[in-house]
Amino acid sequence: QVQLVESGGGLVQPGGSLRLSCAASGFTFSNYYMSWVRQAPGKGLEWVSSMDSDGGNTYYADKVKGRFTISRDNAKNTLYLQMNSLKSEDAAVFYCVKGIGPYGSGYYDYWGQGTQVTVSS
């Protein structure tokens, strides 16, 4: 069965960095578009970043552009999100999300359980 397991969240001070990881299993990871989506307390889901199946193209929300970097290691079936210059408004639960094909379609079929990122001094 498909599993997406996020890790790497935690408490960080404003301006700090974190790297999130998402270990994927149960499907051919290299064939699928992957994304990170977050949800801040009391707010709705917010798309953060995506990457094509082969890593050829990356996409970012304006709020995180220049600060976050998405990457993937298809040999290790792992998706990453390097987050730098973190702000208090970045605090959220971050979810790893599997697309339905190799490229973006706006549709996702599996979500991880999420990892909490807290940004506070």
Side-chain angles (χ1 to χ4, degrees):
Q1 70 280 19
V2 171
Q3 285 195 314
L4 300 169
V5 180
E6 300 96 336
S7 61
L11 173 63
V12 64
Q13 292 186 340
S17 298
L18 282 176
R19 188 174 86 150
L20 306 183
S21 298
C22 170
S25 61
F27 65 103
T28 305
F29 180 72
S30 58
N31 287 353
Y32 292 92
Y33 183 86
M34 297 294 296
S35 297
W36 289 97
V37 175
R38 67 186 179 185
Q39 186 169 29
K43 296 192 175 181
L45 294 169
E46 178 184 32
W47 170 75
V48 174
S49 182
S50 298
M51 177 171 259
D52 289 346
S53 58
D54 61 2
N57 290 296
T58 57
Y59 310 90
Y60 297 94
D62 287 345
K63 288 183 182 179
V64 307
K65 204 171 292 183
R67 300 187 297 121
F68 291 10
T69 302
I70 191 172
S71 62
R72 65 193 294 163
D73 185 335
N74 284 345
K76 294 184 178 179
N77 294 340
T78 303
L79 181 74
Y80 302 99
L81 185 68
Q82 177 68 43
M83 305 187 295
N84 298 330
S85 302
L86 283 161
K87 306 175 181 180
S88 57
E89 53 262 43
D90 292 317
V93 177
F94 282 72
Y95 297 95
C96 172
V97 187
K98 174 185 169 293
I100 62 171
Y103 305 108
S105 64
Y107 295 96
Y108 301 98
D109 54 4
Y110 289 93
W111 294 62
Q113 84 289 350
T115 186
Q116 178 74 52
V117 171
T118 303
V119 184
S120 175
S121 54

